[in-house]
């Protein structure tokens, strides 16, 4: 018996939200901590800013992701309602649309008519949603799932540089935070690539370089304005 295939496309919605949240949590919180530290702030002020960034970022990610995905879900629902009305009022035209779609995919017209009629009898709206609109059970927008995944992953990512800042000695705090964050970003990129079936090295390098640049730029701004003030 051949082994069962394990496709990864079904992970795309939650994986995207989780990776984005964790990456943003690490980069933004580490950047905030290094920027405040570079401005010669006290250890307490650094930790307070990092904790505030964690809470604010997690809530912002949840709200933004929910609103974004909710808009997508509303659009999908509106299209499905429109399709349902069209099926009731123009059933023959809708059937012809399905036939043309299947002919375009390579079926003979006779077979396309048989398939379209059989699928229409089974579940007409599902057939049109999937084949005409590109909406299926596996890619439907799920706002709550996306919001929770984003908030939880952001908080998890942000907690890493914050914990390093708690234990790091003040003279080396910036080095410790950036170093630990770079390692975490590389691991996150590799893990996300593995979950998605993509090459791990390019993904790890991409998030690491971009994250390191963001942290270095923020540290430079903090040092500049800290010196000016």
């Amino acid at each position: 018996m051949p082994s069962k295939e394990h496709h990864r496309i079904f992970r795309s919605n939650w994986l995207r939200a989780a990776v984005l949240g964790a990456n943003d949590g690490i980069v933004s919180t580490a950047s905030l901590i290094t920027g405040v530290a570079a401005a010669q702030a006290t250890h307490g002020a650094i930790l307070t800013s990092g904790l505030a960034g964690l809470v604010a970022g997690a809530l912002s990610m949840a709200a933004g992701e929910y609103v974004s995905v909710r808009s997508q879900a509303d659009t999908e629902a509106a299209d499905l309602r429109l399709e349902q009305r069209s099926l009731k009022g123009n059933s023959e035209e809708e059937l012809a649309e399905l036939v043309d779609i299947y002919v375009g995919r390579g079926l003979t017209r006779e077979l396309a008519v048989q398939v379209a009629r059989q699928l229409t009898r089974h579940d007409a709206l599902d057939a049109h949603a999937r084949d005409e609109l590109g909406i299926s059970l596996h890619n439907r927008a799920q706002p709550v799932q996306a919001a929770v995944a984003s908030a939880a992953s952001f908080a998890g990512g942000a907690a890493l540089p914050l914990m390093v800042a708690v234990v790091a000695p003040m003279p080396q705090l910036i080095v410790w935070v950036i170093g630990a964050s770079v390692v975490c970003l590389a691991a996150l990129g590799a893990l996300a690539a593995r979950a998605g079936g993509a090459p791990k090295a390019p993904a790890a390098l991409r998030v690491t370089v971009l994250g390191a640049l963001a942290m270095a730029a923020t540290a430079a701004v903090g040092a500049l304005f800290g010196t000016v003030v």
Side-chain angles (χ1 to χ4, degrees):
M1 290 292 292
S3 60
K4 186 177 179 180
E5 294 178 321
H6 295 283
H7 295 290
R8 297 175 173 87
I9 189 63
F10 309 126
R11 305 173 180 173
S12 60
N13 285 335
W14 67 262
L15 182 61
R16 178 192 63 82
V19 170
L20 175 62
N23 183 83
D24 196 20
I26 294 172
V27 173
S28 62
T29 306
S31 298
L32 179 61
I33 289 173
T34 55
V36 175
Q40 306 301 315
T42 64
H43 194 232
I46 294 170
L47 298 182
T48 300
S49 66
L51 182 60
L54 185 155
V55 175
L59 295 177
S60 176
M61 285 290 291
E65 194 72 16
Y66 180 84
V67 170
S68 174
V69 180
R70 181 73 259 177
S71 297
Q72 180 185 343
D74 291 342
T75 301
E76 291 176 355
D79 279 345
L80 290 174
R81 289 193 298 270
L82 179 63
E83 195 65 27
Q84 183 69 73
R85 289 195 299 270
S86 185
L87 284 168
K88 290 180 179 179
N90 305 289
S91 58
E92 289 303 317
E93 289 84 349
E94 290 297 322
L95 180 64
E97 283 185 359
L98 275 187
V99 171
D100 289 339
I101 289 171
Y102 299 144
V103 169
R105 292 179 181 177
L107 298 184
T108 63
R109 182 158 292 274
E110 293 76 17
L111 181 56
V113 170
Q114 294 178 33
V115 171
R117 291 189 182 279
Q118 194 163 358
L119 289 177
T120 298
R121 284 195 298 268
H122 175 69
D123 189 335
L125 182 60
D126 178 70
H128 283 271
R130 181 181 60 251
D131 295 323
E132 183 181 345
L133 304 177
I135 301 173
S136 71
L137 176 65
H138 299 294
N139 66 10
R140 288 290 300 273
Q142 300 183 51
V144 174
Q145 182 191 62
V148 171
S150 294
S153 57
F154 183 98
L160 295 170
L162 185 58
M163 288 189 294
V164 173
V166 170
V167 300
M170 275 299 293
Q172 290 85 38
L173 186 142
I174 293 177
V175 174
W176 279 42
V177 168
I178 291 180
S181 298
V182 165
V183 171
C184 291
L185 286 172
L188 174 65
L191 183 63
R194 180 178 180 181
K200 291 184 284 187
L205 182 62
R206 182 167 56 245
V207 297
T208 299
V209 170
L210 294 175
L213 289 174
M215 287 181 277
T218 310
V221 170
L224 175 63
F225 283 92
T227 301
V228 172
V229 173

